Amino acid sequence: MNNTVLVTGGAGYIGSHACKALAANGYNPVSYDNLCSGNKDHVRWGPLEIGDIRNQTRLTQVIKLYRPEAIMHFASLIRVGESVIKPSEYYDNNVFGTFCLLNVARKNDIRKMVFSSSAAVYGTPEADIIAEDHPLRPVNPYGHTKLAMENMIRDYAAAYNLDYAILRYFNAAGADMSGEIGTAYKVDTHIIPLLMRVASGDMKEIGIFGTDYPSPDGTAIRDYIHVQDLAEAHILALRHIGKRNARLTLNIGTSSGHSVQDVVDMARRITKRPIPTRSGPRRSGDPHRLVADAAQARKLLDWKPLYSDLQTIVSSAWQWQKKKTGLDATSEAIRYARAI
Ligand code: UFG
C-alpha cells in the first residue's frame, strides 16, 4: 500500500478540505480536477492533475502514474436550480463521469471508494429526522443523478469487488479552522457564503426564500455540518472500509436543525454588520426541513463533529471571507471610517 488517494474534484470546496485532512493523516492526495468550478490555489497538499472524469484516457494515465489505493470521488455538478434547466449536463458530468471513473478504477484494480452523496437523494422528507432507510425519492435532476451514482457504485461493488463508503452530506458549511482554504465556488448559491458577501459589502442584501414554512420563525430548517468535520468523516470512512472490507451508506450531519433566520441572526452577531434581508417566496424544490439522523456514522466510524455548532461554522466562514476579500483589520477600520 502506498497510501495514495485519487481525489476527484480535489480543487473544489469539500475536496480541498479532504486533501488537507488526508495529508494530515499520512496519505498522499492526488487531485484530479477539470477546474470547471474548483480553484487550483486550493490544491496545496499534493499534486494537481488537470483532467475530466469523463476522459478515460487521461484518467488511466494519471492512475498509472500514481497508482492510488483508493478514490475519493467529489467531482460533480451540484446546483439544484441549474440541474432543472440543464439536466443533460448533470447526467453527462455526474452519471456518465462516474461510469467512466468506475470503469477505469475497475480496470486498474482500485478497490476502495469514498463517494460524496447528498441529502438530495431523499427528496421531500417524510420524517423530522432522516435516517438512511428513509425512502429515496429525489425531486430534482441533481438528486436523481446522485442517486444514480450511488446505485452504480453499489452495483459495481456487488459484481466487481469494490469496498465503498457513500456519504450523504447534509449542508456542508464553514471553512478550514486555520483559515488556509474555504469555499472555492466561482458562483455562490449557498446561504452562508452569500451572507458573508453581504456582510463584507460585496452584495447589498440577501433574499430569504420562504417565510411561511411550518417552523417556529417560518423559515426553512437545515442541518449545517462544518466542512472540516465532513472531511474527517471521509478519513474515518476510508480507514473503516480498508480494515473491514465494508460497504457503507451513511448520513453525515449533526442531527440538529437551524432555521434560515437563525443563520442570519448568527451572521449578524459574528460579523457585527446589519446584513439587510428581503423576504421572498419559497425557492422551488426546497424541502421545509432537512435534518440528519447521523447515529450510524457516529457509531460505525466513531465520528464526532468538533466544529459544527453554528457559531463556529459562521465564524470560520467570516474569517475566510475577510481573508478572501482582503478585509483585514486595517481595511475594516478604513471602511468604517468612510461610512461615518
Ligand atoms: N436560502 C435563502 N436565501 C439564499 C440562499 C439560500 O433563503 O439566498 C435558504 C434556502 O432556501 C434553504 C437554506 O437557505 O432553505 C439553505 O440553502 P442552501 O442553498 O445553502 O443549501 P440547500 O439546503 O439548498 O442545499 C443543500 C445541499 C445540496 C442539496 C440540497 C438538498 O447543499 O447539495 O441541500 O435539498 F442538494
Side-chain angles (χ1 to χ4, degrees):
M1 288 298 160
N2 63 11
N3 270 1
T4 297
V5 178
L6 185 78
V7 183
T8 73
Y13 170 46
I14 302 170
S16 58
H17 286 80
C19 287
K20 181 171 180 181
L22 281 165
N25 284 279
Y27 294 94
N28 313 310
V30 175
S31 294
Y32 185 84
D33 201 301
N34 66 5
L35 298 181
C36 77
S37 62
N39 184 335
K40 63 177 172 16
D41 297 339
H42 291 208
V43 182
R44 301 193 188 166
W45 293 276
L48 168 64
E49 293 290 345
I50 297 174
D52 193 297
I53 50 172
R54 292 164 293 185
N55 183 341
Q56 295 191 48
T57 312
R58 174 79 181 123
L59 252 181
T60 305
Q61 188 188 43
V62 171
I63 283 174
K64 289 206 181 303
L65 180 65
Y66 294 97
R67 292 268 155 223
E69 57 167 301
I71 296 177
M72 282 193 184
H73 180 26
F74 297 95
S76 173
L77 299 180
I78 59 152
R79 288 198 219 116
V80 173
E82 184 184 64
S83 78
V84 177
I85 301 161
K86 300 174 178 170
S88 81
E89 288 187 18
Y90 276 68
Y91 280 91
D92 184 20
N93 193 88
N94 295 0
V95 179
F96 176 60
T98 300
F99 170 75
C100 295
L101 180 66
L102 283 169
N103 284 334
V104 175
R106 183 184 160 211
K107 281 189 196 135
N108 289 278
D109 219 28
I110 302 174
R111 303 206 176 278
K112 279 184 267 177
M113 180 175 282
V114 181
F115 172 60
S116 157
S117 189
S118 163
V121 297
Y122 296 117
T124 308
E126 292 172 13
D128 277 354
I129 303 281
I130 303 170
E132 289 85 355
D133 61 358
H134 182 283
L136 302 173
R137 296 194 196 103
V139 291
N140 51 57
Y142 167 70
H144 290 142
T145 64
K146 282 283 169 180
L147 184 54
M149 293 150 93
E150 280 197 5
N151 284 334
M152 212 187 307
I153 292 169
R154 280 189 277 265
D155 289 342
Y156 271 59
Y160 309 129
N161 192 19
L162 173 76
D163 297 326
Y164 66 79
I166 290 171
L167 304 183
R168 292 178 179 154
Y169 315 156
F170 281 63
N171 285 60
D176 174 48
M177 293 300 290
S178 55
E180 284 188 279
I181 46 174
T183 45
Y185 305 124
K186 290 184 176 120
V187 182
D188 286 317
T189 58
H190 290 100
I191 181 95
I192 293 177
L194 290 176
L195 285 167
M196 298 302 103
R197 287 184 58 190
V198 178
S200 66
D202 193 26
M203 275 169 53
K204 263 180 36 205
E205 60 177 15
I206 184 159
I208 305 291
F209 299 151
T211 51
D212 58 349
Y213 282 109
S215 70
D217 61 30
T219 63
I221 292 181
R222 293 290 181 273
D223 181 341
Y224 295 90
I225 174 84
H226 193 282
V227 65
Q228 214 170 303
D229 288 332
L230 185 53
E232 184 62 21
H234 287 72
I235 307 296
L236 295 172
L238 180 62
R239 281 207 198 112
H240 185 92
I241 61 173
K243 267 194 238 143
R244 290 164 221 241
N245 302 102
R247 291 162 187 190
L248 304 173
T249 301
L250 298 172
N251 284 339
I252 305 292
T254 64
S255 307
S256 28
H258 300 284
S259 73
V260 170
Q261 189 60 51
D262 290 337
V263 181
V264 172
D265 293 343
M266 182 61 78
R268 287 178 176 149
R269 189 150 84 71
I270 298 290
T271 64
K272 302 186 179 64
R273 304 291 169 91
I275 311 189
T277 58
R278 182 179 27 85
S279 298
R282 295 180 181 192
R283 186 169 66 178
S284 137
D286 266 356
H288 78 279
R289 179 185 165 91
L290 274 178
V291 179
D293 175 344
Q296 285 300 315
R298 286 173 180 268
K299 189 172 138 201
L300 289 176
L301 305 181
D302 198 20
W303 172 68
K304 295 180 196 75
L306 299 178
Y307 308 110
S308 293
D309 59 285
L310 197 54
Q311 182 170 338
T312 307
I313 288 176
V314 174
S315 301
S316 64
W318 181 228
Q319 186 188 8
W320 173 245
Q321 179 71 19
K322 287 196 286 187
K323 183 170 179 183
K324 208 167 55 168
T325 54
L327 197 63
D328 57 16
T330 322
S331 59
E332 273 193 86
I334 293 167
R335 191 179 287 257
Y336 272 125
R338 280 194 189 130
I340 292 167

